[in-house]
């Protein structure tokens, strides 16, 4: 035997058996063919790598991506107001209900989304009961549109109607805005398809009591910057999708004194404080979503840019946007999250993933920053401390940079991964990681668990093909 032999093994598991038996030193490299071995996609990736150069020979795609990343990192989202949707969104018709994810017809919606839409119809007083609401929706008297078509992001089913209060968040760097409703809190909620009387009463209380007081506080303060809260929350153990405990408390601290002056009565103030702190650990999620959307929207419509500017789901389909292709959706069937279920429920009860909330992963927090929150990884059954760090390290392989303003202590204070490049996703086979709640597949039951999920690779492949076709014309 030649004792000087050294072996590097690339993905051939059986070959290692002989090395072990013969005592030959080896290094085993986990390897997979690029683009899942698809010859057409490999050719596209090669063409996008060597072609599309400017007069100086520099890649137009790489330059465009750096432009997009700079805009994302420069974003400074500030929540300025909270007002009824009809006052913020032009031509928000009475018979329009918005929903999360890419476009979908009423009859094709999943159970929890239909339940949420029915609840929004009842909330607006357009129907006297659920049966009447369903009839209005079936015959098209009530029209469903996407949140994204009106600049809105909302979690899970994401039902939004014209009377619901929306946060107005402005990216003060670029001047663009986005909207998001108030997070309803834990337990039964409209976003999980529940529309019983307690859920509707809570939404009406948000409209009548919480929103006016919080709006007055925000006006008094001149707005509240969201990025500093995100930065502090990461250090305190939030990733701001599944866990928002610290971010919610820091936000409340920012508005607390102004709320004292803004609340109409001491009883209103007590109820508001209880809702924002003790009852609703997810309060900041919707603010993080709107802040992330303003950052990602600033990187939209850049020619030659392959950065993913949005990912969302409607419980049936996953959809994504690329910068260079603007508002065009690239869709594929949404996947089931893998995680832990509440007692009495299991995978058979779960609905495929849904919600606009993956905008936070598009920005680089949430599942992309799991290295900051091993407690969440453990809570949802996704692994331990080492695995949470590995998740975030993997995300760096598909991103073109890091966000220095959002540091992860467990990763030696490196910034969160930023700028998901669809070319890297397809080439490596590594998919963005999304943290998500799990809704029951039937309406009016609610949340049954939480876990992690990825986009379907099919949507990524579609986006890459479409981009290549666009720049090749």
């Amino acid at each position: 035997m030649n004792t000087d032999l050294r072996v590097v093994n690339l993905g051939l598991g059986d070959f290692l058996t002989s090395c072990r038996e013969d005592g030959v030193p080896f290094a085993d490299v986990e390897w997979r063919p690029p683009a899942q071995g698809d010859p057409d996609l490999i050719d596209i990736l090669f063409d996008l790598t060597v072609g599309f150069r400017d007069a100086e020979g520099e890649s137009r795609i790489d330059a465009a991506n750096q432009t997009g990343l700079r805009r994302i990192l420069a974003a400074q989202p500030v929540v300025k107001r909270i007002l009824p949707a009809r006052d913020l969104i032009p031509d928000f018709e009475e018979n329009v209900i918005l929903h999360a994810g890419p476009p979908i017809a009423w009859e094709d919606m999943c159970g929890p989304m239909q339940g949420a839409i029915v609840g929004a119809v009842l909330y607006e007083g357009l129907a006297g009961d659920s049966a009447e609401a369903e009839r209005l929706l079936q015959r098209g008297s009530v029209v469903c549109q996407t949140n994204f078509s009106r600049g809105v992001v909302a979690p899970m089913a994401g039902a939004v109607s014209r009377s619901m209060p929306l946060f107005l968040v402005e990216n003060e760097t670029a001047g663009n805005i986005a909207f998001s409703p108030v997070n309803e809190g834990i337990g039964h909620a409209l976003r999980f398809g529940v529309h019983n009387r307690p859920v509707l009463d809570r939404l009406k209380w948000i409209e009548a009591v919480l929103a006016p007081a919080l709006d007055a506080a925000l006006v008094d303060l001149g707005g509240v910057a969201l990025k500093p809260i995100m930065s502090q929350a990461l250090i305190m153990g939030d990733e701001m999708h599944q866990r928002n405990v610290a971010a919610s408390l820091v936000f409340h601290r920012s508005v607390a004194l102004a709320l004292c002056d803004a609340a109409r009565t001491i009883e209103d103030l007590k109820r508001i404080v209880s809702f924002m702190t003790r009852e609703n650990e997810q309060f900041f999620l919707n603010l993080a979503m709107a802040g992330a959307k303003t950052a990602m929207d600033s990187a939209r419509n850049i020619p030659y840019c392959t950065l993913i500017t949005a990912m969302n789901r409607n419980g049936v389909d996953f959809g994504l946007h690329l910068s260079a292709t603007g508002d065009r959706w690239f869709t594929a069937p949404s996947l089931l999250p893998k995680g832990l279920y509440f007692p009495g429920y299991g995978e058979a009860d779960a609905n495929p993933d849904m919600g606009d909330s993956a905008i936070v992963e598009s920005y680089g927090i949430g599942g992309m920053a799991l290295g900051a929150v091993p407690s969440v990884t453990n809570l949802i059954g996704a692994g331990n401390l080492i695995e949470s760090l590995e998740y975030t390290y993997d995300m760096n392989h598909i991103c073109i940079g890091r966000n220095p303003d959002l540091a992860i202590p467990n990763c030696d204070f490196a910034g969160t991964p930023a700028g998901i490049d669809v070319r890297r996703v397809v080439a490596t086979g590594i998919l963005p990681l999304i943290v998500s709640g799990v809704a029951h597949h039937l309406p009016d039951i609610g949340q049954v668990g939480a876990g992690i999920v990825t986009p379907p690779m099919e949507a990524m492949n579609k986006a890459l093909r479409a981009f290549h076709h666009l720049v090749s014309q």
Side-chain angles (χ1 to χ4, degrees):
M1 181 183 69
N2 184 351
T3 56
D4 293 328
L5 181 65
R6 300 288 188 273
V7 173
V8 176
N9 180 63
L10 300 177
L12 299 175
D14 292 342
F15 180 70
L16 295 182
T17 302
S18 298
C19 293
R20 291 190 181 96
E21 291 175 350
D22 295 338
V24 176
F26 64 86
D28 187 26
V29 178
E30 184 179 350
W31 178 84
R32 68 189 77 179
Q36 310 98 60
D38 185 310
D40 182 47
L41 288 173
I42 292 173
D43 287 344
I44 288 174
L45 288 168
F46 180 78
D47 192 28
L48 295 177
T49 300
V50 302
F52 308 100
R53 306 272 164 172
D54 60 21
E56 287 72 39
E58 299 297 322
S59 169
R60 296 181 187 275
I61 298 172
D62 290 343
N65 286 351
Q66 288 301 318
T67 297
L69 181 63
R70 284 193 296 272
R71 293 181 185 179
I72 293 167
L73 299 184
Q76 295 294 338
V78 177
V79 57
K80 298 290 186 71
R81 302 293 301 270
I82 174 171
L83 295 168
R86 61 178 177 269
D87 296 339
L88 295 173
I89 301 175
D91 303 321
F92 197 146
E93 300 87 346
E94 291 184 2
N95 69 328
V96 169
I97 306 294
L98 306 181
H99 66 81
I104 187 169
W106 160 258
E107 60 271 17
D108 297 326
M109 290 180 182
C110 63
M113 182 166 284
Q114 287 190 337
I117 297 292
V118 166
V121 173
L122 297 175
Y123 173 86
E124 290 295 330
L126 299 176
D129 56 34
S130 297
E132 183 184 359
E134 291 182 12
R135 288 194 295 271
L136 292 173
L137 288 154
Q138 288 166 358
R139 65 172 180 249
S141 299
V142 173
V143 179
C144 297
Q145 299 176 358
T146 66
N147 285 325
F148 260 54
S149 68
R150 302 299 184 99
V152 179
V153 280
M156 299 306 292
V160 173
S161 61
R162 71 191 303 267
S163 298
M164 291 182 183
L166 297 179
F167 287 113
L168 184 160
V169 177
E170 180 182 354
N171 172 9
E172 291 193 334
T173 303
N176 60 301
I177 60 175
F179 312 107
S180 185
V182 176
N183 191 285
E184 304 162 74
I186 60 176
H188 284 181
L190 190 71
R191 68 181 183 275
F192 287 106
V194 181
H195 57 262
N196 57 28
R197 179 47 53 190
V199 166
L200 297 180
D201 286 346
R202 180 172 57 205
L203 289 171
K204 285 297 182 182
W205 173 82
I206 290 172
E207 177 188 344
V209 179
L210 171 66
L214 187 51
D215 181 61
L218 290 171
V219 170
D220 182 44
L221 294 166
V224 174
L226 298 180
K227 187 185 283 189
I229 296 177
M230 295 180 188
S231 178
Q232 188 171 359
L234 275 169
I235 294 173
M236 297 170 72
D238 284 357
E239 35 71 53
M240 278 156 289
H241 195 161
Q242 184 62 33
R243 189 181 193 277
N244 278 277
V245 179
S248 298
L249 290 173
V250 174
F251 176 76
H252 179 262
R253 185 184 67 182
S254 302
V255 300
L257 288 179
L259 271 174
C260 290
D261 294 329
R264 292 175 299 188
T265 68
I266 190 64
E267 291 304 316
D268 282 352
L269 179 60
K270 288 180 179 179
R271 179 72 180 89
I272 291 169
V273 171
S274 177
F275 179 77
M276 291 179 63
T277 57
R278 295 196 308 173
E279 301 172 35
N280 192 357
E281 295 179 349
Q282 287 286 72
F283 188 88
F284 191 79
L285 168 61
N286 294 31
L287 287 164
M289 290 171 59
K293 185 170 182 2
T294 65
M296 301 314 298
D297 282 355
S298 69
R300 294 171 65 85
N301 300 308
I302 301 173
Y304 290 100
C305 184
T306 57
L307 298 187
I308 293 173
T309 54
M311 300 186 290
N312 61 14
R313 311 83 83 208
N314 58 31
V316 175
D317 292 320
F318 167 93
L320 68 86
H321 286 162
L322 283 188
S323 174
T325 54
D327 293 333
R328 181 175 174 182
W329 290 100
F330 301 100
T331 64
S334 191
L335 304 178
L336 276 177
K338 302 295 183 183
L340 294 182
Y341 290 88
F342 299 160
Y345 297 103
E347 194 170 286
D349 302 300
N351 196 82
D353 196 33
M354 66 177 177
D356 297 324
S357 54
I359 192 70
V360 301
E361 276 83 11
S362 306
Y363 180 53
I365 52 179
M368 305 288 285
L370 274 177
V373 280
S375 59
V376 168
T377 313
N378 182 262
L379 175 67
I380 60 179
N384 54 28
L385 171 60
I386 299 301
E387 287 167 304
S388 70
L389 294 171
E390 289 175 347
Y391 286 139
T392 294
Y393 289 141
D394 281 347
M395 296 303 98
N396 286 314
H397 292 300
I398 59 174
C399 292
I400 65 169
R402 295 181 178 180
N403 192 330
D405 295 327
L406 300 175
I408 302 178
N410 295 343
C411 299
D412 199 22
F413 290 92
T416 59
I420 304 172
D421 184 348
V422 72
R423 296 177 303 168
R424 295 191 179 200
V425 174
V426 175
T428 64
I430 299 172
L431 289 159
L433 197 66
I434 301 168
V435 183
S436 185
V438 183
H440 198 284
H441 66 86
L442 297 176
D444 225 25
I445 293 178
Q447 185 176 7
V448 296
I452 57 175
V453 69
T454 65
M457 183 60 81
E458 180 185 351
M460 300 289 171
N461 293 342
K462 285 181 178 179
L464 185 72
R465 293 179 192 276
F467 173 81
H468 182 252
H469 178 73
L470 174 68
V471 297
S472 299
Q473 289 180 325

